[in-house]
Amino acid sequence: GPAAMAAAAAAAAAAVAATAAAALPPALESLRDVPLWLQPGGPRPLALGPRAPARALQDVGGSPCPPLVLALATEWSNRKKTLYSRAEEACRRLLADAGNPDVLEEDDPQGVKFPEVNAALERLGFKKECFCVYVCPDLHIWAVGVSMKGKQRFLAGQAALAAALALRRPGGAVCVGDIQAFSGFVAQARAR
């Protein structure tokens, strides 16, 4: 009857309101699916030059966190689908090209293992975002994948790691040149 219809309408309105509340602000949405350079130790005052941290940043596998870390935040946009679907392949090729160094993967869904990374993400506007960190200790490379969904954050982290590896190469990453979406992402990261 009418009471059941009113209750159903109220439940539908509540669901719409909850969805709208969970939506990302437009400024944050523009930070999805693009390369982000994080400063885990905090921004450096330009006039002071290199900053000496009061304490060492998190150390993983003998590799301290570098002053700039490439990150990629996603909620699996179709505009970058190829980048994510081929991230593992690009990462594998670039690691083979670098002599297959060890890579450590740490998931930090609560943002407590790597508070410096969490703080850097918060400075960009990400609040309570889940992230994972990829570290290649031999090359002193860190990369971060950001997403509320595990699979997406790991693929984003792999894409960020592969791009960081590609950026280390003087001539670019010839071994992944056939992955057009990846080449575009590396070019974006280089330009930022």
Side-chain angles (χ1 to χ4, degrees):
M5 289 177 65
V16 168
T19 301
L24 293 170
L28 190 56
E29 189 59 35
S30 69
L31 297 178
R32 300 275 181 200
D33 305 310
V34 296
L36 303 170
W37 287 103
L38 303 180
Q39 291 181 308
R44 291 185 173 85
L46 294 178
L48 299 179
R51 182 181 56 80
R55 64 182 181 84
L57 294 177
Q58 183 78 27
D59 187 313
V60 175
S63 178
C65 184
L68 285 176
V69 174
L70 187 58
L72 178 58
T74 189
E75 289 307 324
W76 199 262
S77 165
N78 280 334
R79 64 190 165 142
K80 296 285 187 173
K81 187 176 179 181
T82 304
L83 174 66
Y84 300 116
S85 65
R86 302 207 44 206
E88 186 176 356
E89 176 188 357
C91 201
R92 188 179 60 250
R93 286 189 198 177
L94 284 156
L95 286 168
D97 193 52
N100 289 314
D102 289 337
V103 174
L104 306 172
E105 174 188 303
E106 284 282 341
D107 194 20
D108 194 359
Q110 305 301 319
V112 295
K113 294 178 186 175
F114 301 97
E116 293 91 349
V117 172
N118 192 44
L121 287 167
E122 286 181 354
R123 284 192 295 277
L124 288 177
F126 292 98
K127 303 294 181 205
K128 296 186 169 82
E129 289 277 336
C130 299
F131 62 90
C132 65
V133 175
Y134 282 83
V135 179
C136 183
D138 295 339
L139 301 175
H140 304 290
I141 292 176
W142 284 43
V144 175
V146 182
S147 178
M148 296 306 285
K149 296 180 181 173
K151 180 178 180 180
Q152 293 173 1
R153 88 176 146 262
F154 291 117
L155 290 173
Q158 288 174 358
L161 176 61
L165 287 163
L167 288 168
R168 286 182 53 97
R169 295 186 48 95
V174 176
C175 63
V176 290
D178 61 317
I179 305 175
Q180 189 174 14
F182 182 74
S183 298
F185 179 74
V186 172
Q188 278 185 309
R190 184 173 280 126
R192 287 183 155 247

